[in-house]
Amino acid sequence: MESIKRVAAIHDISGYGRCSLTVALPVLSAMGAQCCALPAAYLSSHTGFEGFTFLDMTDQMIPALEHWKALGLHFDAIYSGFLGSAEQMDIVMRAKALFPRAMLMVDPVMGDHGVTYKTYTPEMCRNMTALARRADLIVPNLTEAAIILARPYESAPKTEGEALEWLQALSDGGKRSVVLTGLVLSQGSIGLGWLDAKDSSSGTLQHPFIGGEYHGTGDLFSSVMLGYLLRDRSLAAAADSAARFIGECAALSAGEGTSRNQGVRFEALLGRLV
Ligand code: PXL
């Protein structure tokens, strides 16, 4: 029996800009898991840069999954993030049907600051919401949580009580685990809320907001958190450690003057995850 943890990672690959697979691959490898990449699209850079190229890989995805099945692979987790077309959410569900023992972790990447990303259509948002409802664990930011719950972004939680209510709603009454990111409960801090479906525990945590805002930190957070979950940490402990790691990367990036679009400079700190 192999002892390595194996992840099917279904995201875009953006050549430049530190997000999605260019983050998930190094992070999960450093943390001792095998990351099998299923690119949903190839972009020359993430969508925050002008003029990015976009190659939709939808038609490659089912054959790739079926090949993995034919090889007799087993996955501990299926981990999806930014997707490239409205059909790809169904493909992630198909992956779960092919590998039913895998934990389905959906980072329902759709937008930030109340705005959807340039390539996301209303149909994609509907399908992402349906996918989130099938997941074992979801990791939305406030924008994505508002879309999933069909609530106005302006009503996103600002107090612990509101955050716990959103977590309950996102978990469908405790059916799935949730980590809600980008939660600001007091000025100068940033944090998250979590609800663990395993034991119905929930809570919030806040850390000082260090450095600045960087593109792709959601992907970095989710990948690091998954790495810790695969090392059998509890959801709360994994989320806390991942949030601290992002804070360290943001502090380093701010010190070096990294621009927002370049993403946080995690490479120099990757060794801490090994
Ligand atoms: O970090 C989320 C993300 C992932 N992939 C692509 C993106 C974004 C956010 O803008 O553009 C291509």
Side-chain angles (χ1 to χ4, degrees):
M1 190 68 182
E2 281 181 301
S3 63
I4 194 158
K5 301 284 175 132
R6 187 178 293 126
V7 177
I10 312 178
H11 307 242
D12 72 286
I13 182 157
S14 289
Y16 181 61
R18 294 190 180 106
C19 64
S20 318
L21 283 176
T22 62
V23 168
L25 279 160
V27 164
L28 289 167
S29 299
M31 297 184 82
Q34 183 182 14
C35 180
C36 302
L38 182 43
Y42 170 75
L43 291 84
S44 51
S45 73
H46 63 60
T47 60
F49 290 98
E50 287 300 318
F52 59 87
T53 69
F54 186 97
L55 175 67
D56 182 344
M57 311 272 273
T58 305
D59 61 358
Q60 294 294 309
M61 293 172 75
I62 296 270
L65 287 168
E66 285 175 348
H67 182 222
W68 287 348
K69 185 73 184 174
L71 291 176
L73 296 184
H74 293 284
F75 292 98
D76 296 281
I78 297 165
Y79 166 33
S80 72
F82 181 103
L83 296 176
S85 74
E87 289 149 83
Q88 292 183 2
M89 291 75 181
D90 286 341
I91 295 176
V92 176
M93 290 193 220
R94 175 98 181 109
K96 174 70 181 175
L98 283 170
F99 304 102
R101 280 192 291 158
M103 188 252 305
L104 176 58
M105 170 170 156
V106 173
D107 185 346
V109 177
M110 291 185 275
D112 209 354
H113 299 294
V115 180
T116 51
Y117 296 129
K118 284 176 195 156
T119 55
Y120 271 74
T121 62
E123 187 190 9
M124 289 175 76
C125 293
R126 276 196 300 279
N127 292 1
M128 189 65 97
T129 298
L131 174 61
R133 296 224 164 90
R134 301 280 288 274
D136 300 303
L137 166 62
I138 57 172
V139 193
N141 62 25
L142 298 180
T143 303
E144 293 150 357
I147 295 172
I148 291 169
L149 295 177
R151 296 182 183 181
Y153 172 66
E154 292 67 35
S155 70
K158 291 168 194 69
T159 65
E160 165 138 42
E162 288 169 0
L164 295 177
E165 193 276 320
W166 276 54
L167 286 164
Q168 273 297 333
L170 288 162
S171 74
D172 268 337
K175 276 197 215 129
R176 76 185 62 83
S177 296
V178 182
V179 175
L180 179 61
T181 62
L183 195 61
V184 178
L185 298 181
S186 62
Q187 233 196 344
S189 70
I190 180 87
L192 55 89
W194 52 273
L195 184 150
D196 191 341
K198 276 193 194 131
D199 58 7
S200 303
S201 58
S202 61
T204 63
L205 56 91
Q206 295 281 292
H207 294 294
F209 181 76
I210 321 164
E213 253 202 56
Y214 294 97
H215 206 280
T217 46
D219 301 345
L220 184 60
F221 172 82
S222 293
S223 299
V224 175
M225 186 179 78
L226 177 58
Y228 282 121
L229 288 174
L230 293 171
R231 287 187 191 162
D232 297 324
R233 292 249 189 118
S234 69
L235 185 65
D240 186 27
S241 299
R244 285 175 200 278
F245 182 73
I246 305 301
E248 287 164 12
C249 292
L252 175 71
S253 306
E256 293 188 343
T258 311
S259 70
R260 182 183 195 282
N261 255 355
Q262 285 177 290
V264 280
R265 204 162 100 67
F266 67 92
E267 297 87 349
L269 299 181
L270 210 47
R272 296 197 187 174
L273 300 175
V274 172

